[in-house]
């Protein structure tokens, strides 16, 4: 048996970003690997996730997730292989999903890891299509937005890990029409040709309200919001009476240094009796087993497709995150630590 590692490279946040983060706000540092205590496992991370919500954790504000601490390792979703275990429930060689990403090796409490099966789906799928973004899409559409068969659905950020899955689940569940917005003509083509959206548009090509009106002349029943800003305003205009909005994210505002104005047509919420509801995936853990069962079957059958953008090397972790904020990913953005 080879000797266990004694050091691990890990990303630290070194300064609170003002506006857009820069590489100067982070440092890749070498740290000692802690001793594996009773009830713990040592995981060699193979992949870790970078996600839009992490931008909010870089601010020192009270929120639904505690902020990253300065000069401490950042964290987030990761999958890897157990290389040492002091818990009977997890064996060396098991593959696990856990929350200590942004580093090469992690010592984790065994009760905080979930075993994953690489024979059912690639390991990276457990960070995306079958992971937190997937459950966000599933719960947000079906529970928060109260989707029903025949609905017309609009998804912003539709080529991302969450949005692409929302649109496909809506189609599989009987939506009459699914429309997506994305930030490039290539992504628009992908939405229609690969993911089966009925219509899609590039929000950079013109006024979002008008483009949505053209794509959904009869209006929409559901809006799944990943973007906020002008997209939310456009959706409020397009929503039918008793329309529903699941507000998952507002990436257009994450790096703003001044408060963003509210949609100018917010008063329409009254006359249309709209329901706008925020969405946190942690509220929907009860759906986890149903979600994995249903979505993994769609993935295996090829009915639900997904994309990943893999960035190789831990040293490129911050660049992957900044690329995500710039919209350079298609589907789930993942950092690979595989050789």
């Amino acid at each position: 048996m080879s000797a266990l590692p004694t050091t691990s490279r890990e990303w630290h946040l070194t300064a609170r970003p003002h506006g857009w983060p820069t590489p100067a706000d982070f440092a890749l540092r070498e740290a000692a690997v802690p001793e594996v205590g009773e009830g713990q496992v040592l995981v060699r991370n193979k992949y870790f996730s970078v996600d839009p919500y992490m931008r909010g954790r870089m601010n020192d504000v009270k929120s639904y997730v505690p902020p990253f601490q300065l000069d401490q390792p950042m964290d987030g979703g990761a999958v890897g292989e157990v290389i040492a275990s002091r818990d009977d429930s997890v064996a060396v060689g098991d593959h696990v999903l856990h929350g200590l990403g942004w580093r090469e090796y992690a010592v984790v409490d065994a009760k905080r890891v979930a075993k994953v099966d690489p024979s059912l789906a690639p390991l990276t799928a457990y960070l995306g299509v079958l992971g937190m973004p997937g459950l966000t899409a599933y719960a947000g559409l079906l529970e928060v937005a109260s989707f029903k068969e025949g609905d017309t659905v609009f998804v912003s950020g539709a080529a991302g890990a969450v949005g692409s899955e929302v649109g496909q689940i809506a189609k599989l569940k009987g939506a009459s029409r699914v429309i997506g917005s994305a930030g490039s003509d290539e992504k628009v083509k992908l939405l229609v040709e690969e993911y089966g959206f009925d219509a899609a548009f590039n929000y950079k090509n013109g006024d979002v309200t008008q483009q949505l009106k053209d794509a959904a002349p009869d209006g929409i029943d559901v809006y799944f919001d990943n973007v906020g800003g002008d997209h939310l305003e456009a959706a409020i205009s397009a929503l039918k009476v008793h329309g529903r909005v699941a507000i998952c994210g507002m990436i257009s505002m994450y790096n703003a240094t001044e408060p963003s104005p509210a949609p100018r047509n917010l008063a329409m919420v009254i006359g249309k009796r709209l329901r706008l509801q925020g969405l946190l995936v942690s509220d929907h853990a009860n759906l986890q087993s149903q979600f994995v069962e249903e979505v993994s079957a769609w993935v295996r059958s090829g009915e639900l497709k997904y994309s990943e953008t893999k960035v190789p090397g831990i040293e490129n972790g911050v660049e992957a995150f900044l690329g995500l904020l710039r919209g350079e990913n298609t589907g789930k953005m993942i950092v690979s630590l595989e050789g």
Side-chain angles (χ1 to χ4, degrees):
M1 179 182 152
S2 56
L4 294 176
T6 56
T7 62
S8 170
R9 287 180 295 170
E10 53 190 36
W11 278 103
H12 291 202
L13 184 69
T14 58
R16 302 277 177 206
H18 182 69
W20 281 86
T22 71
D25 297 322
F26 307 88
L28 183 61
R29 293 173 172 162
E30 189 136 331
V33 175
E35 286 284 316
V36 183
E38 196 64 46
Q40 293 185 318
V41 295
L42 173 60
V43 182
R44 177 190 290 117
N45 284 337
K46 293 190 170 189
Y47 304 96
F48 69 82
S49 176
V50 292
D51 300 281
Y53 81 88
M54 293 173 174
R55 175 62 188 88
R57 296 188 65 195
M58 293 171 187
N59 302 328
D60 191 13
V61 293
K62 190 174 169 59
S63 182
Y64 61 91
V65 188
F68 290 130
Q69 297 303 300
L70 292 181
D71 299 310
Q72 295 293 325
M74 296 190 295
D75 54 54
V79 284
E81 183 179 354
V82 175
I83 57 172
S85 174
R86 293 191 61 192
D87 189 279
D88 293 340
S89 67
V90 185
V92 170
D94 283 348
H95 288 89
V96 294
L97 172 68
H98 64 91
L100 296 183
W102 290 93
R103 67 200 82 187
E104 291 176 306
Y105 296 93
V107 173
V108 197
D109 292 345
K111 64 177 182 289
R112 292 190 172 274
V113 307
K115 290 189 206 178
V116 295
D117 187 345
S119 69
L120 288 182
L123 286 176
T124 50
Y126 295 100
L127 294 174
V129 67
L130 295 177
M132 181 269 290
L135 182 58
T136 302
Y138 187 89
L141 179 69
L142 302 181
E143 280 209 336
V144 178
S146 308
F147 171 84
K148 56 186 187 296
E149 194 175 341
D151 279 347
T152 295
V153 177
F154 172 46
V155 188
S156 59
V162 175
S164 58
E165 202 160 336
V166 171
Q168 292 182 85
I169 292 171
K171 289 295 286 184
L172 287 161
K173 293 278 190 183
S176 61
R177 187 166 175 78
V178 174
I179 299 119
S181 77
S184 74
D185 294 342
E186 294 78 20
K187 289 180 180 179
V188 165
K189 192 169 179 230
L190 180 80
L191 290 175
V192 176
E193 294 181 3
E194 181 77 7
Y195 295 147
F197 282 59
D198 298 289
F201 60 85
N202 181 346
Y203 66 83
K204 295 174 181 171
N205 285 352
D207 178 66
V208 175
T209 297
Q210 188 57 52
Q211 291 199 79
L212 178 56
K213 196 173 180 180
D214 294 343
D218 299 325
I220 61 175
D221 301 287
V222 167
Y223 172 44
F224 194 104
D225 191 11
N226 290 305
V227 173
D230 56 357
H231 280 74
L232 181 56
E233 189 171 289
I236 288 170
S237 286
L239 278 156
K240 301 175 191 173
V241 172
H242 297 302
R244 290 92 66 206
V245 181
I247 301 179
C248 175
M250 293 193 173
I251 199 168
S252 70
M253 305 176 185
Y254 287 174
N255 297 301
T257 54
E258 297 295 328
S260 304
R264 293 166 296 182
N265 56 354
L266 202 54
M268 283 186 177
V269 170
I270 304 164
K272 293 185 179 185
R273 283 86 86 203
L274 303 181
R275 172 156 62 82
L276 282 64
Q277 185 174 332
L279 159 61
L280 286 184
V281 68
S282 53
D283 293 343
H284 302 278
N286 60 306
L287 288 179
Q288 176 70 27
S289 56
Q290 174 189 323
F291 152 71
V292 170
E293 187 178 333
E294 191 164 20
V295 175
S296 63
W298 286 331
V299 169
R300 284 195 299 277
S301 69
E303 291 172 277
L304 194 147
K305 299 175 171 64
Y306 66 97
S307 298
E308 296 173 336
T309 301
K310 288 197 192 90
V311 174
I314 190 170
E315 63 278 4
N316 295 313
V318 163
E319 198 45 55
F321 174 69
L322 298 178
L324 172 80
L325 295 182
R326 292 190 293 259
E328 291 170 7
N329 58 304
T330 299
K332 185 76 194 77
M333 184 72 104
I334 289 168
V335 179
S336 169
L337 307 186
E338 296 274 71

